[in-house]
Amino acid sequence: MRDTLVLNASFEPLSTVTLNRAIVLVLQDKAVVEQAHPELRMRGAAVDIPAPRVIRLCRYVRVPFRRQAPWSRRGVLVRDRHRCAYCGRRATTVDHVVPRSRGGQDTWLNTVASCAEDNHRKADRTPEQAGMPLLREPFEPTPADAMLLTLGAEEFAALPDWLATDAA
Ligand SMILES: [Zn+2]
């Protein structure tokens, strides 16, 4: 996937995101296209727009000089796309892999999205003790992910189904 350069509202380069994420930001009116690919267009039932090569955020974001995103419950849910780490259904809570009562911390690598049932069932145990293996390992969001968290983009999303890429 080609990367798109993201400029702050002040035109200062911030980061790159995948083309998919760039399109989502434009469709959500969080960014405007500054420069488009000359040949590549995104086509769907309702839209036909040039694939952005450079986008600019509509709102100025202050980017802290840190490489990692600060941990937050909401950030964990967004990172995991609101999918339960134990059963894959919709998640509304955040579970500590190593429970806080056993010294587990509020960190990206120790927390996962979880449905309320599994969070309750796992209770004060590790996944091994509870016999509830993780469907995927938790990870640290990249700086680009962190920027999207700052923006509040709801999903680290793929394109809507109705959009397809094609080269003219
Ligand atoms: Zn679950």
Side-chain angles (χ1 to χ4, degrees):
M1 189 53 87
R2 298 161 204 240
D3 281 343
T4 300
L5 179 65
V6 181
L7 306 178
N8 211 336
S10 56
F11 289 92
E12 159 198 11
L14 277 179
S15 181
T16 58
V17 294
T18 64
L19 189 51
N20 281 5
R21 290 183 193 173
I23 294 277
V24 168
L25 288 170
V26 171
L27 291 178
Q28 289 178 339
D29 292 327
K30 296 206 157 115
V32 293
V33 178
E34 286 291 337
Q35 198 186 110
H37 284 285
E39 287 155 11
L40 192 64
R41 294 187 73 81
M42 313 298 291
R43 290 209 176 97
V47 294
D48 181 3
I49 57 174
R53 178 183 275 165
V54 181
I55 60 172
R56 185 167 57 88
L57 301 177
C58 299
R59 192 164 63 81
Y60 181 79
V61 291
R62 200 171 293 281
V63 181
F65 286 99
R66 60 163 82 97
R67 295 208 132 260
Q68 290 170 2
W71 180 89
S72 68
R73 285 174 182 275
R74 183 171 173 284
V76 172
L77 289 172
V78 173
R79 180 197 66 185
D80 293 350
R81 300 184 185 200
H82 295 83
R83 293 283 157 222
C84 175
Y86 301 106
C87 72
R89 286 180 300 158
R90 182 159 177 84
T92 53
T93 68
V94 169
D95 178 62
H96 288 74
V97 178
V98 175
R100 270 184 297 192
S101 61
R102 295 167 186 266
Q105 308 271 309
D106 285 348
T107 62
W108 290 110
L109 298 182
N110 190 47
T111 49
V112 291
S114 171
C115 68
E117 289 92 333
D118 283 338
N119 204 334
H120 184 72
R121 190 155 65 90
K122 179 170 168 288
D124 205 8
R125 297 176 294 178
T126 65
E128 293 74 28
Q129 290 168 335
M132 296 168 64
L134 291 164
L135 297 179
R136 59 180 178 273
E137 291 299 314
F139 62 94
E140 299 245 9
T142 66
D145 291 338
M147 195 193 68
L148 289 183
L149 281 174
T150 307
L151 280 174
E154 250 315 304
E155 301 289 333
F156 282 5
L159 285 171
D161 292 340
W162 44 267
L163 262 181
T165 310
D166 65 6

